[in-house]
Structure formats: structure tokens, C-alpha cells
Amino acid sequence: MWRSRFLRGAGCLLQGTGCIPCKPSHLPPWRYLSFYQPCLHPVLLRSFRPPTCYSIENHLRPAVVLYFFRTLRRDAKSIIDFPAQHLTVTDIKQYLRSKDIPFHDGYSCLHAPSIFMEPAPEGSGKENYALFIDKTTGQFLCKETLVEGSWEDLQDCIEVMLNESQTSISPNVLLGFPESMEEQEEREMEMKEVRRIWNSCMPFTDLVDEDVQLIKTMFQIGKLTNATLKKFGVRFFKPTKSLVFPWFSGRDSCLRGVKLLSAAMKGDGRVVYTEATIPKISNYHNLFGLPLIGQKDGEVVLTGREVDSMAVSQATGLPSLALPRGVSCLPPILLPYLEQFKKVTLWLGGDMRSWEASKIFSRKLGLKRCSLIRPGDFQPCPSEALAQGRNLARIVKASIPAAHKSIVSFKQLREDVYGELVNVEQVAGIQWSRFPELNRILKGHRKGELTVFTGPTGSGKTTFISEFALDLCIQGVNTLWGSFEINNVRLAKIMLTQFAKQRLEENLDQYDVWADKFEDLPLYFMTFHGQQNIKTVLDTMQHAVYLYDISHVVIDNLQFMMGQENLSLDKFAVQDHIIGAFRKFATNSCCHVTLIIHPRKEEDDKELQTASIFGTAKASQEADNVFILQEKKLVTCPGRRSLQVAKNRFDGDVGLFPLEFNKTSLTFSAPVKGKQKLRKVKVDKNNSTEETEETELKEKSEKALKPAKAKTAKTIKGSAALTDSTEGE
């Protein structure tokens, strides 16, 4: 536990000259990329190979050449393992009082005098409350010495200090175990590259006016003055034609990292941006603009991009900071630096995803001090607002409080309703790239919903859901997997095969390339396996949402949590309790929960219905979406599997479309050729009974004079298409 967490990672160096990186096609706009991988672990070290040249010419134009080492260290951040005893803020306060350590409450942290510094003389009135303890996790940070660690680390340090009758303890106590040779080399190589890039950069004041205007046009920052760029320390790196944002931290403002922003023009005329950080993004904790914050500043504007932060500062004069990962995550390690502000205004962007992230981040920061800027035509992101000549100070002043009352009128909801009407596609959620038929029926993946998924035993439920979740994860959805049925190694193997779309057993020479790409996904796993208690699982999920801003949780499956409950209770009552707990978690945490439930045992020749879900009707009633993986066991031809959307609370569309399983890549997709049997669902309004009729899609005839119109799965509009009349809202 004494190992330092400072500056771990980064093995690969950004090389090449005259290169303009272009954004990989499979990532969303402003996706935060890192070309740096974890370093080698001495225990897991395999046969070492010279650095391999990796060209990403398929995604970058022109190509940027990267050098990296094979990644063999286990990344603890990808595994979510909740402590056996849940820590509360009351526990932290009681412990500090028992050790006579003064503290006072903050917004998200407890403030205490740092035990890693000599205390101020008595009566001086200069007690330095530089130690910040997270109220949720117990993690601590000393802002003066930059010492950080877990709650257990802090307890150990306090016990050592008191046992030795000392008033402070050396910060080096947490550096007890020396770094391995590989770690030292990696860290030195990383910092050497940071200094090389920074020293090779040119301030804008050293560039000719023509180059400055060209650069500003390329990055759409024409309204930012040279004085603002100089104030924030922004430079230009000619070899890759990139803006360079520095990371200064500590009392001496030492350089700890850089972020490179590059722009490239696509063939269709679109400008695409790519970001690369040193160190890797998981270790890049730069609140851009922090050195400019004064000790007495009580208000700050948080933005999602560095250019937005500079725009706010220039136009309003207010302190402004940019989050290192934009709207994807607010690392708790940054919260101590935001404790001094009595008012925090979140202006993360101009789309619905930024708006949702603002509401989630405000919970971490404290609702009472947070204000939100609602995206709209007249309130775009700060850099666009500055370019359009809008009054940014007026926009900030018009921000709305994040806290709300339990009872509201339509006046408070009016703008929310208008926002959903204007941004129909964004409100529908994130689209799947591998399942277009699912987009047509379900419209998208939305936060705060509960999806129930069922299917016959052995039909491929876990395999389908793994690809279903992987598709979203590739698009930046922070995903947490709770697999109680199969272990994490096997699940990761399935997902990696689906990610690469090939059997890596037959292409071991490509394993490192695909593993490095897969490792950069925001994907985490619980360490549970087998039967688990529902409270422990929910605590772990809440822990992951706080630490990593998880927005999609997959639970496979519900039956594995029922064995740990009170055996004296009815099993159906236990299941209803668990489903209700997941429903509450999804709503309160604004997190989508996908819950796999085994069905009742049915005859092989019968299709599953909503009523086939094991247990009472509560599962289908509480769920926003119900998926059924249908399988014709007596049929061996392609297309014997299909996915039925039996419930869709968002807009009522339901339907069924065929799936074809590719055994080589372990993926599902809609069949392209051959006959497809699709189902059109009809409901008799008089007796509420379900009637079905099968239609066949015939292959195109080469002799046909006119092209036949392609038929697709039909859907029924409205809530009347629900297959189970007993699952009323």
C-alpha cells in the first residue's frame, strides 16, 4: 500500500515530423486519446522485444509513427473491488476526533492540517488546512506536498506519527518501496519526452503574424488574443502542427505533462481534432488554468476544453478551468483543488451530452454551490459563443442553480421540455454502430433507464450483451461489467475477440496491437463471481459511478444475487426487492442498468414472451426496455436467432429483427442474404390478445425488371403494442 501513485504509465513517444494526426473513425468528437501505455511489471514480465513501430495509417492521415512497449502490467483501475467494510463520512470524522486531529467540513472533502508538514507555531493563527480527505472514498491529498493515497494509507501514517510522538511525518513515507528498473526508465523516458516537446514548442509571440492567423483559423480560435494564449502558456509544436497545453502543478509550478491538440481536414471538408496526452489520459490530472487561480478567488467556471476555458477568461475575466477528460469523467482526485470556490458554474459544451454531464458532475461538487448553463442555439460552447460575438458574461450570469425543490411547476420545466423538443436526436441517446435495427426501434441508449434482457439457456445472452455493451463503450460510454456467471478473463477474451472481429488465437502476432487499443476503452469489471449479496453489489456500483462516472452497468445475471438473501423469504419477494433496488439506482445515479434474467422453462417449440421472464410481473413493469433473444432450437439454418424489443418506454416502438451469429468473431449481425423470417406484432384492441403473422423476404431476382423494395422488420407505434397487457405503466 506504500507504493506511490505519481506519474505512472507512458511507454510510447510521439515521433515524426510534418504530421497532422486525424481522428480515428471509430471514436466520437473530442474523444480523449492517449498514445501511452502502462509500463512493464516485473512479476508479469515476458520475453522482451525491441520497441515495435506502430503505424496508425488506417486512421490517421498523414500517418503518425508511434513507438511503444508491450503492455503487461495489470491496471488496477480496470477492476472494481469494493472494500469489505463500507466507509462513511461519519467513520472518517470519528477517527479524526479520536486522534485529536482538527478538521472542518467542505463541499466534497474534509479539510485538516497536513501531517506531512511541520505545524504552524501556536498562536500564529496560520494553521494550514492543506490535507483534503474525500468524504465518499476516504482518499486524501496534501496540496502542498502532493502526497496522495487511500484512507488506509492515511490511517497508517497517522498511527506511525503518533506512535513515534511526532507532530508530522515525512512525505517520503509513502515512497517506501523503490520503483523497479522498468518503471524508472519509463518515467524518465516520459518526462524526457515532455521536456523535449515543450522545449521545441514556440510561443505565439515568436511566430510571424501570417502563421498565427493560419493556426488560429485551423483551430477555430480566431477571437482569442495572443495575450490570452501567452497568459495560459499555450504554445505551438511545428513537427505535428499541434497546439500544446502545459500541465503545471505544485508550489514550484513544475511541468508534469502536456496535451497536444491537432487538426486535420477530412475529404468531405470536415475538420477533425485529435488529442494526445503525456502521461496517458488515466494519469493526466491537469486542471488547465489552475496556476492562474488566486487564493481568494471564490467563483470559477468549469469547461470541457482548454479553448473554452481561455474564451471564458478573456470575455468575462472570471477564473476558468478546463477538465482534463472533458465530459467523460471528473476524477475525484481533482476535487480538492475546487474546494475553495463558493460558486461553480459548469459550462461543459453546447450539446445534450454536455448538459447531462454537468448535472452528474454537480452532484460530486455539491449541488448547492453549482450552477449550470443550459445548451441552446443562443448558448453554445464558450469558444463558439466568443466567435459569434455573444455576451459570455450575460450567459454565465443567466446560469440556473443545480439544486431543485421536490415540487416544481411547469415554469421550471419549460426550458427542459423545449430542450428535448429541439434536440430530438440527442435526447434519444447514443446510437449503436453494429445494430442499426436497434436504433430504428429503440432510438438510442439513454442514461437512467433499466433494461431487462432474457433468452433461452445457451442461446448466447452473455455473448450478445457483451457486444451490445462493447459497441457503446467504443463510443465513449463508461461501462462497468458485473459478470457473476463467467469469470472476467473469459469475458474479456470474448469482448476482445468481438472488438478485433477475428480469432486472435490464430493471429497471436496481432494480439498486442488489439490489446493496446482495447485497454484504452473506458471499460471496468467487478471482481465478483458466483453468488453475491445485493447490498455489496450496489455499494460497488455506487463506488464506481463516483470514481469513474460510470454510465452503463451490465449485471449478468439476477439469479446469482438471490442465493445470498434471507432464505426464509419468498424467492419472488426477494427478486422483486432486487429489481426495485436496481430501478432506484438507475434513476438516482443517472446510470443505465442492463439486467440479464433467466426465463421460465418453456417448451423448445414455443417462443418466449414478456410473461416468460422468471418471477413476478415486477421485472417487466419496472423496466424501461425489455429485450428477448428468441431462438428456434429445432432449426439449424442461419437466422434462427432474433432479437425482440418487447417494451420501449421511450416512444413505444417495439419489433423484432433477425440476428446472425459469426462464430469466428463471436459477433451478432443482421443477415445480409437469404430468406429472413420477420415478425409483425399486432394487437386486438377489443380483447387485448396478441396476433402474429409471419412474412418472408425473398431474395432479389436477377431477372426482375424493377428493383424490389427491401423489406425490414416492422414496428408498431404506441404503447398499445406492448405484448403483455398486465404490465401497465
Side-chain angles (χ1 to χ4, degrees):
M1 74 175 61
W2 301 100
R3 184 179 293 273
S4 170
R5 299 179 185 176
F6 299 139
L7 296 176
R8 291 188 177 175
C12 117
L13 303 181
L14 185 59
Q15 303 286 345
T17 58
C19 302
I20 304 178
C22 172
K23 174 184 176 299
S25 59
H26 68 280
L27 292 174
W30 293 106
R31 169 78 178 169
Y32 291 82
L33 304 180
S34 174
F35 301 132
Y36 294 86
Q37 307 298 334
C39 38
L40 300 171
H41 193 287
V43 178
L44 302 176
L45 187 62
R46 303 178 191 172
S47 56
F48 183 75
R49 302 181 308 203
T52 305
C53 178
Y54 170 54
S55 174
I56 49 177
E57 59 186 356
N58 293 332
H59 297 296
L60 302 183
R61 181 175 57 85
V64 174
V65 179
L66 305 173
Y67 293 93
F68 64 92
F69 298 105
R70 185 170 186 182
T71 60
L72 298 174
R73 170 192 278 186
R74 292 183 184 273
D75 185 3
K77 293 184 179 180
S78 64
I79 301 295
I80 308 298
D81 190 7
F82 198 78
Q85 184 177 2
H86 181 51
L87 183 68
T88 65
V89 65
T90 303
D91 297 332
I92 299 174
K93 291 180 178 179
Q94 288 178 349
Y95 179 82
L96 295 177
R97 291 192 185 103
S98 68
K99 304 301 179 182
D100 295 326
I101 298 177
F103 66 89
H104 62 77
D105 255 316
Y107 296 100
S108 55
C109 301
L110 297 178
H111 305 185
S114 177
I115 65 173
F116 303 101
M117 301 170 55
E118 287 294 333
E122 294 185 8
S124 63
K126 296 182 180 179
E127 191 72 52
N128 189 359
Y129 281 73
L131 185 66
F132 294 83
I133 306 171
D134 193 294
K135 293 181 181 181
T136 303
T137 64
Q139 284 186 303
F140 73 91
L141 169 69
C142 175
K143 288 176 62 175
E144 295 294 330
T145 62
L146 297 183
V147 176
E148 63 179 6
S150 66
W151 172 242
E152 291 76 13
D153 291 338
L154 181 60
Q155 286 179 303
D156 290 340
C157 290
I158 293 175
E159 296 297 336
V160 171
M161 181 186 70
L162 296 179
N163 290 339
E164 296 181 357
S165 301
Q166 301 292 325
T167 57
S168 64
I169 191 170
S170 172
N172 296 326
V173 70
L174 290 179
L175 304 177
F177 288 116
E179 293 179 321
S180 66
M181 187 66 67
E182 291 82 3
E183 288 175 326
Q184 292 179 6
E185 291 177 356
E186 296 286 345
R187 187 162 62 90
E188 291 173 0
M189 189 184 307
E190 171 185 295
M191 293 310 301
K192 182 179 180 181
E193 182 66 8
V194 169
R195 289 189 293 268
R196 185 190 72 82
I197 293 177
W198 183 246
N199 293 333
S200 302
C201 294
M202 297 184 65
F204 277 77
T205 53
D206 295 345
L207 298 172
V208 297
D209 293 340
E210 292 79 4
D211 291 343
V212 171
Q213 293 302 319
L214 180 62
I215 294 170
K216 289 184 177 182
T217 302
M218 181 169 58
F219 291 98
Q220 301 179 12
I221 55 173
K223 294 291 185 178
L224 291 180
T225 64
N226 290 348
T228 299
L229 296 171
K230 181 180 179 180
K231 175 183 175 182
F232 282 86
V234 181
R235 296 185 180 183
F236 184 70
F237 188 52
K238 281 190 174 181
T240 57
K241 296 183 174 60
S242 306
L243 291 180
V244 179
F245 305 108
W247 175 16
F248 294 112
S249 66
R251 288 178 295 179
D252 55 352
S253 296
C254 61
L255 182 66
R256 296 185 60 183
V258 292
K259 176 185 287 188
L260 286 81
L261 174 64
S262 304
M265 183 74 73
K266 283 283 190 180
D268 56 1
R270 293 183 299 110
V271 178
V272 184
Y273 299 91
T274 302
E275 293 184 354
T277 63
I278 310 175
K280 61 181 294 187
I281 193 64
S282 59
N283 295 328
Y284 185 79
H285 302 310
N286 178 25
L287 276 173
F288 181 73
L290 188 62
L292 302 176
I293 301 296
Q295 293 183 353
K296 296 184 179 181
D297 288 333
E299 181 179 357
V300 70
V301 178
L302 289 184
T303 66
R305 298 185 298 166
E306 288 78 6
V307 293
D308 288 339
S309 180
M310 291 187 289
V312 171
S313 176
Q314 175 178 304
T316 66
L318 294 173
S320 179
L321 298 172
L323 299 178
R325 305 189 197 180
V327 300
S328 64
C329 182
L330 173 58
I333 194 64
L334 300 179
L335 297 180
Y337 298 101
L338 302 172
E339 282 291 295
Q340 75 177 78
F341 303 109
K342 296 180 180 180
K343 181 179 180 181
V344 178
T345 303
L346 289 96
W347 193 355
L348 300 183
D351 56 6
M352 291 303 296
R353 187 177 182 184
S354 303
W355 174 244
E356 293 295 331
S358 299
K359 293 188 286 186
I360 294 174
F361 292 171
S362 64
R363 298 180 185 179
K364 284 187 180 182
L365 297 167
L367 291 173
K368 292 183 179 180
R369 65 167 173 163
C370 289
S371 297
L372 313 179
I373 295 180
R374 188 192 309 276
D377 294 337
F378 301 103
Q379 295 184 165
C381 66
S383 58
E384 292 183 8
L386 182 65
Q388 296 172 9
R390 301 192 181 279
N391 191 327
L392 274 71
R394 182 178 299 174
I395 294 176
V396 172
K397 188 176 181 180
S399 60
I400 60 177
H404 57 82
K405 299 179 181 180
S406 299
I407 300 177
V408 296
S409 64
F410 181 73
K411 183 178 181 180
Q412 284 79 37
L413 301 176
R414 178 171 179 167
E415 291 302 319
D416 288 328
V417 174
Y418 179 76
E420 293 208 359
L421 294 175
V422 172
N423 304 285
V424 176
E425 293 183 358
Q426 295 183 28
V427 171
I430 298 176
Q431 304 286 297
W432 287 271
S433 61
R434 302 191 181 194
F435 304 102
E437 285 294 329
L438 201 55
N439 294 329
R440 186 178 59 80
I441 300 174
L442 206 60
K443 304 303 182 292
H445 181 270
R446 296 167 288 275
K447 294 181 179 180
E449 293 188 351
L450 174 65
T451 295
V452 170
F453 180 62
T454 190
T457 302
S459 59
K461 294 188 296 296
T462 301
T463 305
F464 172 80
I465 284 295
S466 66
E467 185 182 12
F468 171 91
L470 177 64
D471 189 335
L472 298 169
C473 188
I474 292 174
Q475 301 179 65
V477 176
N478 299 342
T479 304
L480 174 64
W481 251 97
S483 176
F484 309 111
E485 197 167 69
I486 63 176
N487 60 48
N488 288 329
V489 174
R490 185 180 172 192
L491 175 61
K493 176 185 173 184
I494 294 173
M495 299 186 75
L496 181 59
T497 303
Q498 294 173 333
F499 181 67
K501 293 185 178 180
Q502 60 178 309
R503 286 282 189 183
L504 293 177
E505 298 95 323
E506 303 170 359
N507 302 278
L508 289 178
D509 57 323
Q510 300 182 29
Y511 174 79
D512 288 334
V513 175
W514 287 107
D516 289 339
K517 295 179 181 179
F518 188 76
E519 188 176 320
D520 285 337
L521 297 179
L523 179 63
Y524 305 87
F525 301 89
M526 298 186 203
T527 56
F528 302 134
H529 185 61
Q531 293 184 348
Q532 296 296 330
N533 182 275
I534 179 61
K535 186 178 185 304
T536 304
V537 175
L538 287 173
D539 286 343
T540 305
M541 291 163 56
Q542 194 65 54
H543 182 73
V545 168
Y546 180 79
L547 283 181
Y548 308 115
D549 293 295
I550 298 297
S551 55
H552 184 204
V553 178
V554 182
I555 300 296
D556 183 17
N557 56 63
L558 178 137
Q559 275 81 356
F560 274 88
M561 280 174 289
M562 295 176 60
Q564 292 290 321
E565 301 301 320
N566 193 337
L567 297 178
S568 62
L569 297 177
D570 180 75
K571 61 181 180 180
F572 295 127
V574 172
Q575 178 174 328
D576 289 351
H577 166 71
I578 295 174
I579 292 173
F582 281 125
R583 169 74 270 176
K584 183 178 180 181
F585 171 85
T587 302
N588 294 342
S589 301
C590 195
C591 178
H592 193 113
V593 177
T594 299
L595 182 61
I596 299 177
I597 305 178
H598 284 301
R600 294 190 178 96
K601 298 301 179 183
E602 302 280 3
E603 298 294 335
D604 291 344
D605 58 342
K606 291 184 179 180
E607 291 189 348
L608 297 180
Q609 307 294 330
T610 305
S612 302
I613 300 175
F614 182 83
T616 66
K618 186 177 180 65
S620 58
Q621 291 172 347
E622 293 281 4
D624 297 284
N625 314 297
V626 175
F627 297 166
I628 302 176
L629 185 60
Q630 301 285 6
E631 181 185 30
K632 298 179 180 179
K633 294 185 177 181
L634 303 180
V635 179
T636 58
C637 63
R640 66 190 183 97
R641 292 186 182 92
S642 56
L643 183 69
Q644 178 183 356
V645 179
K647 182 179 181 181
N648 174 11
R649 184 170 281 163
F650 179 71
D651 69 351
D653 281 10
V654 296
L656 179 143
F657 60 92
L659 296 173
E660 184 174 322
F661 181 66
N662 187 322
K663 193 172 183 180
T664 302
S665 60
L666 302 181
T667 57
F668 288 88
S669 61
V672 179
K673 298 180 180 180
K675 295 183 178 181
Q676 306 172 2
K677 288 188 175 182
L678 306 181
R679 181 173 300 278
K680 180 179 179 181
V681 181
K682 290 185 177 181
V683 175
D684 187 351
K685 296 183 179 180
N686 296 326
N687 53 18
S688 298
T689 59
E690 183 181 290
E691 297 180 359
T692 62
E693 65 179 32
E694 295 187 354
T695 62
E696 293 186 354
L697 297 181
K698 299 182 179 179
E699 297 180 349
K700 293 182 178 180
S701 175
E702 297 181 356
K703 299 181 180 180
L705 298 176
K706 296 182 180 180
K709 295 183 179 180
K711 298 182 180 180
T712 57
K714 300 294 183 69
T715 62
I716 299 299
K717 193 79 175 178
S719 59
L722 298 179
T723 58
D724 190 353
S725 61
T726 62
E727 53 178 271
E729 297 290 334

